[in-house]
Amino acid sequence: MAEIFENLNQNPTQQETAPQIAEDEHETVTSYLKKRKGDKIKIYNEGGYSEEEQKKLLKLYEQSLSKVVEGDILEGEVIEIDRERGEVVIDIGFKSPGIVPLNEFRNPEALKVGDKVEVSIEKVEDKEGQIVVSHKRAHFLRVWKRVNEAFAKDEILKGTIIKRIKGGFVVDIDGLLAFLPGSQVDIKPIRDYDAWVGKEIECKVVKINQAAENVVVSRKALVEKELEERKRKFFETVKVGDRVRGTVKAIVDFGVFVDMDGIDGLIHITDLSWGRVNHPSEVVQLDQELEMVVTRVDEVTLPTGEKVKRVSLGLKQLQPHPWDNIDQKYKVGQKVTGKVVAITDYGAFIEIEKGIEGLIHISEMSWTQHIKHPSQFVTMGQIVDAVILHLDKEGRKLSLSMKRLEPDPWEKVEEKYPIGSKHKGIVRNITNFGVFVELEPGIDGLIHISDLSWTKKIRHPAEVVKKDQEIDVVILGIDKEQRRVTLGHKQIYPNPWDKLEQIYKVGTETQGKIVRIIEKGVIVELPDGVDAFVPISHLLPGHTQIKNIHAVFKEGETLPLKVIEFDKERQKIILSVSEYFKDKSERLVKEFLAKHPVPSDEAQLKAPVTSIGIEAEGEERVFIESNHGKENYPGQRAQGAQQKQN
């Protein structure tokens, strides 16, 4: 009992506020004290007091205890630590001590008996009469109060990012777990979220849910405030030509965005290198640190009306322009090596060093190959050798040649191909005016359509030659300056017109097979293989008019003919059916006319046409109508399909 009174004396101020014991409570001091788990009170003279005296003493004892309310935070003293059971017994001055799980303490290993700790009253008495307390809850409420004050006063808090979750991070603020959205971590994009775990940060509370006890914080809000001040100082002092440092934050097709401690700058793709850059990723990488030169500082107005300042940067400006001393490094005639960096319809651009490109024109690629497009000869990225043809430092133009690395095959063309010499070649191209023949790689010649045959009237060269065909030719002429060779095929053979002049004298009768029908007459093949012409007005005896030759004659038909004109110089023979029958019997005339009846005009117009009779452009052909017997006959030839003849 002496110990009980000693306790009363130690807490005189608490007697006034101690709770009153109900008058009808019959619990003895002994039974009550036995319920005090962990109490260090010893009982003396247990049987020396009456029941009434025990009630009075119990009432006095309870008055000496603290008054507690659920939700209060009290300071208590650790009086026992049971590490095996994971429990800590804490005396808070109540009738029974509080028991707190050991894992509620942030540093349980350092906890010892006698330490002062705070606990929160969760329940004044559970079903066993034991008070329920929590150290973790007490700590949380203290931090919760401080977080709310920081939110109200717009103060800065410190915390540690402890883990990454969906949408952001969990931040430990002195034991209180807050949510940090990923968008609120920094003003620049985050590529490695895991790198932030474990970092201690400063942040501001941006949202509190009191009911759910949730807190949302932002680090970005602090960074933005600091950034505004840095921007202000930066743009007050920066000027064109200054050197600055930054980190690559984004790479796009047109350039590179650089972060200069929160201030963004752009390096346009053309300012990355003096050389050609197809994509910025060829020059820089994400997160790469760069030293740059400020090339421009200006102010722009956004669509919202807001005015912002921006800075343009350059990387290549750190180095001198490679064209400044190009004439010291390269000379005309010098052999160089470079990479194909661009191909156009007219040539290929070769980079011989960063910032120095030259053009190899399509005509300077090969002496021997017929190149229609540069991509047939070179490919992108290919390393090639070339010779410098022209260097223009002021205009920054460089002309190169690949073919001049080899000897020019035209240098000795006159010695190798004298006029009149015979050779074999390959037909490489056929046009409507002639045939291009390759004598050797790099040297081609042209056989004009008129030089393909002595005796045939050729409408198109494809009638007598085929591509890639081997053909015999004679050198007719060479223009070394213009790089042209004139060839002939018919000249391989003797000119038959000397002999034909004797065979087909004017007045000579012969036969001819119709090989082609044209508008103004027919082409016939004579027995010696020579082509001749019969005008439409000479196809029938007498004065019968024909409006549609196809209605009367057919190709392949043989006609009796008489020579009415022979021109050796122009290699032209004109024949006539009507002249042939002038001195023939009437019977023969009738037989011929019977075989070739002339339909009515309407029927002639409806007759099918099997040959259009339009000559190829450039083909030399005989007059459509003969001037035989006409006065002042000039004996000329027509050029082209459109020329009208009289």
Side-chain angles (χ1 to χ4, degrees):
M1 296 303 295
E3 185 175 346
I4 293 176
F5 284 107
E6 183 179 353
N7 287 337
L8 290 174
N9 291 332
Q10 290 177 354
N11 298 279
T13 60
Q14 296 178 355
Q15 297 180 28
E16 298 176 0
T17 60
Q20 301 296 318
I21 300 178
E23 294 296 332
D24 58 349
E25 187 174 345
H26 301 290
E27 188 175 28
T28 65
V29 173
T30 301
S31 63
Y32 171 76
L33 292 177
K34 285 181 178 179
K35 289 166 55 179
R36 292 288 303 275
K37 183 177 181 180
D39 251 331
K40 300 301 181 181
I41 300 175
K42 296 180 180 179
I43 302 174
Y44 301 96
N45 300 322
E46 183 179 354
Y49 296 92
S50 66
E51 184 177 342
E52 186 65 28
E53 289 175 328
Q54 289 183 32
K55 288 182 178 180
K56 289 182 180 179
L57 289 173
L58 181 59
K59 183 177 180 180
L60 290 172
Y61 177 70
E62 286 190 337
Q63 289 176 349
S64 70
L65 300 177
S66 301
K67 179 181 178 180
V68 295
V69 178
E70 288 185 8
D72 281 356
I73 298 176
L74 303 176
E75 184 178 73
E77 181 181 345
V78 177
I79 58 176
E80 183 180 347
I81 301 174
D82 189 341
R83 297 189 183 275
E84 291 184 0
R85 298 179 62 183
E87 293 180 344
V88 179
V89 181
I90 300 173
D91 181 14
I92 58 172
F94 193 55
K95 61 183 180 181
S96 64
I99 299 176
V100 178
L102 185 61
N103 60 13
E104 285 196 9
F105 293 87
R106 303 189 74 180
N107 190 7
E109 298 300 326
L111 190 66
K112 60 183 183 298
V113 175
D115 284 351
K116 301 293 184 181
V117 296
E118 284 188 330
V119 293
S120 169
I121 307 300
E122 302 298 296
K123 287 185 179 180
V124 175
E125 191 174 83
D126 62 9
K127 62 183 179 179
E128 295 180 355
Q130 182 74 24
I131 189 171
V132 179
V133 297
S134 172
H135 172 69
K136 183 177 181 179
R137 181 64 180 171
H139 182 76
F140 172 81
L141 291 174
R142 289 290 186 193
V143 178
W144 180 257
K145 180 180 179 182
R146 183 157 62 89
V147 167
N148 276 269
E149 290 175 352
F151 181 50
K153 298 178 182 180
D154 197 28
E155 294 178 344
I156 298 173
L157 297 173
K158 288 186 177 182
T160 302
I161 298 176
I162 59 173
K163 66 178 178 179
R164 177 184 173 185
I165 60 174
K166 183 179 180 180
F169 299 95
V170 175
V171 180
D172 183 350
I173 304 175
D174 197 14
L176 183 147
L177 301 182
F179 176 58
L180 173 61
S183 62
Q184 296 297 313
V185 178
D186 206 345
I187 57 175
K188 53 188 177 182
I190 298 175
R191 284 182 288 275
D192 186 3
Y193 279 82
D194 293 332
W196 284 84
V197 177
K199 284 188 176 183
E200 185 176 349
I201 64 169
E202 289 186 338
C203 56
K204 291 178 68 174
V205 180
V206 294
K207 185 178 181 181
I208 293 180
N209 186 328
Q210 299 290 346
E213 295 182 342
N214 289 337
V215 178
V216 179
V217 296
S218 171
R219 177 181 176 273
K220 182 179 178 180
L222 295 177
V223 177
E224 286 178 335
K225 188 174 181 180
E226 295 174 2
L227 176 60
E228 288 302 318
E229 181 61 22
R230 288 202 302 271
K231 280 185 177 180
R232 184 186 64 80
K233 292 182 178 179
F234 177 83
F235 284 107
E236 283 180 355
T237 58
V238 72
K239 59 184 182 298
V240 174
D242 285 352
R243 293 197 176 193
V244 293
R245 298 191 67 84
T247 303
V248 176
K249 64 179 292 187
I251 299 175
V252 294
D253 291 341
F254 58 84
V256 178
F257 286 98
V258 181
D259 174 33
M260 298 175 289
D261 196 18
I263 301 167
D264 288 347
L266 172 66
I267 307 176
H268 193 269
I269 188 171
T270 57
D271 286 317
L272 286 170
S273 171
W274 290 116
R276 187 183 294 264
V277 179
N278 294 316
H279 193 272
S281 58
E282 299 174 3
V283 181
V284 298
Q285 298 177 345
L286 284 174
D287 299 323
Q288 180 180 347
E289 291 189 5
L290 301 174
E291 183 179 14
M292 303 151 291
V293 174
V294 177
T295 59
R296 188 174 64 185
V297 179
D298 54 8
E299 186 176 72
V300 296
T301 302
L302 301 179
T304 59
E306 180 186 1
K307 292 185 177 181
V308 296
K309 290 185 177 180
R310 64 183 184 184
V311 58
S312 299
L313 307 168
L315 197 61
K316 71 180 184 182
Q317 286 80 0
L318 293 172
Q319 305 294 331
H321 198 293
W323 277 86
D324 291 344
N325 61 347
I326 189 172
D327 51 352
Q328 300 175 14
K329 299 174 64 176
Y330 301 105
K331 306 293 182 184
V332 173
Q334 180 179 342
K335 180 181 176 181
V336 294
T337 300
K339 181 174 70 173
V340 179
V341 293
I343 298 176
T344 66
D345 291 339
Y346 54 85
F349 287 92
I350 312 299
E351 183 182 65
I352 59 175
E353 68 172 72
K354 288 295 183 182
I356 299 180
E357 295 179 9
L359 172 65
I360 302 177
H361 193 268
I362 188 171
S363 62
E364 290 293 334
M365 289 186 169
S366 174
W367 293 114
T368 60
Q369 296 186 35
H370 299 280
I371 303 170
K372 294 183 178 179
H373 193 274
S375 59
Q376 297 177 272
F377 198 73
V378 295
T379 58
M380 286 292 293
Q382 180 181 345
I383 304 300
V384 299
D385 292 329
V387 172
I388 296 176
L389 296 182
H390 180 68
L391 177 59
D392 181 2
K393 181 179 179 181
E394 298 301 322
R396 292 182 177 176
K397 294 180 180 179
L398 186 65
S399 299
L400 304 173
S401 172
M402 295 176 68
K403 73 180 185 181
R404 295 176 192 269
L405 292 170
E406 304 293 336
D408 184 357
W410 283 84
E411 287 297 323
K412 299 182 178 180
V413 67
E414 294 173 329
E415 299 176 14
K416 193 170 183 180
Y417 299 101
I419 293 176
S421 60
K422 296 180 180 180
H423 304 273
K424 290 184 181 293
I426 304 297
V427 176
R428 293 304 185 192
N429 192 24
I430 300 175
T431 69
N432 56 6
F433 57 84
V435 179
F436 286 95
V437 177
E438 182 184 68
L439 297 175
E440 66 174 73
I443 297 182
D444 289 352
L446 172 66
I447 305 175
H448 191 269
I449 188 172
S450 62
D451 287 315
L452 285 171
S453 174
W454 288 111
T455 60
K456 297 296 181 182
K457 300 298 180 184
I458 301 170
R459 289 175 294 179
H460 194 278
E463 295 175 8
V464 293
V465 294
K466 304 297 180 185
K467 194 171 181 180
D468 297 325
Q469 171 188 334
E470 186 178 67
I471 189 171
D472 292 318
V473 295
V474 173
I475 306 298
L476 301 182
I478 293 179
D479 186 342
K480 186 176 178 181
E481 296 300 321
Q482 297 297 322
R483 295 178 181 266
R484 293 176 181 173
V485 177
T486 303
L487 303 175
H489 173 63
K490 70 182 184 181
Q491 289 80 1
I492 290 290
Y493 311 99
N495 186 345
W497 285 89
D498 292 334
K499 181 179 177 182
L500 294 174
E501 185 180 19
Q502 301 301 319
I503 298 174
Y504 298 104
K505 294 179 179 180
V506 174
T508 302
E509 293 183 356
T510 184
Q511 290 184 338
K513 184 174 69 174
I514 299 175
V515 294
R516 188 160 73 247
I517 299 175
I518 60 177
E519 183 182 359
K520 299 298 183 179
V522 297
I523 306 296
V524 294
E525 183 181 44
L526 300 180
D528 292 276
V530 63
D531 286 352
F533 177 64
V534 182
I536 188 172
S537 60
H538 287 264
L539 283 172
L540 290 174
H543 301 286
T544 307
Q545 297 295 320
I546 302 175
K547 293 185 177 180
N548 185 351
I549 301 175
H550 293 277
V552 182
F553 296 96
K554 300 291 184 287
E555 290 184 3
E557 184 178 350
T558 301
L559 300 178
L561 301 164
K562 180 181 282 190
V563 179
I564 60 175
E565 183 180 339
F566 185 93
D567 190 336
K568 178 181 176 182
E569 296 300 322
R570 297 183 180 180
Q571 299 176 1
K572 178 177 65 173
I573 302 175
I574 297 178
L575 304 161
S576 173
V577 174
S578 60
E579 289 295 319
Y580 173 84
F581 282 102
K582 271 188 177 182
D583 56 357
K584 298 299 185 286
S585 67
E586 185 176 348
R587 180 181 61 80
L588 292 176
V589 172
K590 287 181 178 180
E591 288 178 358
F592 184 83
L593 291 175
K595 291 180 181 179
H596 302 89
V598 179
S600 65
D601 291 348
E602 183 179 353
Q604 289 192 56
L605 294 175
K606 292 181 179 179
V609 177
T610 58
S611 179
I612 60 175
I614 296 178
E615 306 301 296
E617 182 182 349
E619 176 184 348
E620 291 190 344
R621 55 184 169 84
V622 297
F623 272 114
I624 299 301
E625 216 172 46
S626 173
N627 283 312
H628 175 70
K630 294 184 181 180
E631 196 175 302
N632 299 324
Y633 167 58
Q636 40 184 325
R637 287 190 294 179
Q639 283 277 351
Q642 304 299 323
Q643 184 172 349
K644 295 182 179 180
Q645 307 296 337
N646 295 321

